[in-house]
Amino acid sequence: ESGAQWYSVADGVSNYHKFYNGGYVSMVVGSNNVGIGVTNPVQMLHIQRSSQDNYIKVDAGSGANMAGVMLTEYNSNMGYAMRYDAANDKLLFSVQDGKSSALFDAMVMTMNSNVGIGTTTPDAGSKLQVYGKLLVGDGGIGIPSVGSVGGSGSRLVLQAGSGSTIPYGIGAESGAQWYSVADGVSNYHKFYNGGYVSMVVGSNNVGIGVTNP
């Protein structure tokens, strides 16, 4: 007090120790909680600032160091971490298996927005690279349809972008049977190429260049 910018005063009511700056409460400490910008923190750390974006900034140390947040079990090495790899400019999503303090990287995002799952070096020309088995679908049974986002059944749809028609699609129904995407109307299974039907199979007939053999 007396000219000093920061000081703490217990108010005798809430048992919070209040840190003032310019006559306004900037931080409070009490009941094992800390509040920054809020006078009644409800968690161990509670940060609030009205009408503004609020961030927590953690800088990595100089050199090949990390900055991040760890979420672990009480008195345990079991948990997860989100880390910034300053040396390689990557965001790492890591796990701890409880056996040691070592972190194992499960997923990575690079500065050019490429994502790798099961690898920390995703292909530079691919938005997503998965190292390992990939299951597409929700386990539902149904006819997947070209251009359809909803509905049951499992399918993999490849779209050219810019709202264009979907050039290729693969779907699955009734377990492990794989076939091209069915249109859900004619019961033909249609093989597409560039948005056009190149071959259809159904009713014991096969059509090439024709949609109703």
Side-chain angles (χ1 to χ4, degrees):
E1 200 173 6
S2 301
Q5 186 178 10
W6 290 88
Y7 56 89
S8 172
V9 177
D11 61 11
V13 178
S14 63
N15 294 320
Y16 284 119
H17 295 283
K18 298 183 178 181
F19 293 76
Y20 288 82
N21 183 11
Y24 297 95
V25 177
S26 178
M27 183 171 69
V28 299
V29 179
S31 301
N32 294 322
N33 293 337
V34 175
I36 300 176
V38 58
T39 58
N40 56 341
V42 297
Q43 296 293 339
M44 294 183 69
L45 177 61
H46 187 171
I47 300 174
Q48 183 183 91
R49 188 170 52 174
S50 178
S51 301
Q52 297 184 59
D53 296 328
N54 297 317
Y55 298 97
I56 297 176
K57 188 174 187 293
V58 182
D59 289 341
S62 59
N65 292 289
M66 301 277 185
V69 178
M70 298 183 67
L71 306 172
T72 59
E73 294 183 13
Y74 180 74
N75 282 340
S76 170
N77 287 323
M78 182 78 72
Y80 300 88
M82 183 176 67
R83 304 179 293 158
Y84 171 60
D85 181 355
N88 298 294
D89 291 328
K90 296 177 180 179
L91 181 63
L92 303 172
F93 297 87
S94 312
V95 298
Q96 274 186 311
D97 60 8
K99 299 177 182 179
S100 70
S101 60
L103 288 166
F104 302 94
D105 301 323
M107 185 170 69
V108 63
M109 178 182 293
T110 64
M111 280 293 181
N112 56 359
S113 299
N114 291 350
V115 175
I117 300 177
T119 175
T120 58
T121 56
D123 178 66
S126 303
K127 285 301 177 186
L128 175 64
Q129 180 179 354
V130 179
Y131 185 81
K133 182 180 178 180
L134 175 64
L135 174 63
V136 179
D138 58 4
I141 301 299
I143 299 295
S145 58
V146 170
S148 174
V149 176
S152 60
S154 303
R155 66 271 195 192
L156 175 63
V157 177
L158 308 179
Q159 187 170 0
S162 301
S164 62
T165 57
I166 296 175
Y168 300 100
I170 300 174
E173 187 189 13
S174 301
Q177 183 184 10
W178 287 88
Y179 48 80
S180 67
V181 176
D183 62 9
V185 178
S186 64
N187 294 322
Y188 285 117
H189 300 290
K190 298 184 177 182
F191 293 77
Y192 287 80
N193 184 12
Y196 298 94
V197 177
S198 62
M199 184 171 71
V200 299
V201 179
S203 302
N204 296 321
N205 294 333
V206 176
I208 299 177
V210 59
T211 58
N212 55 345

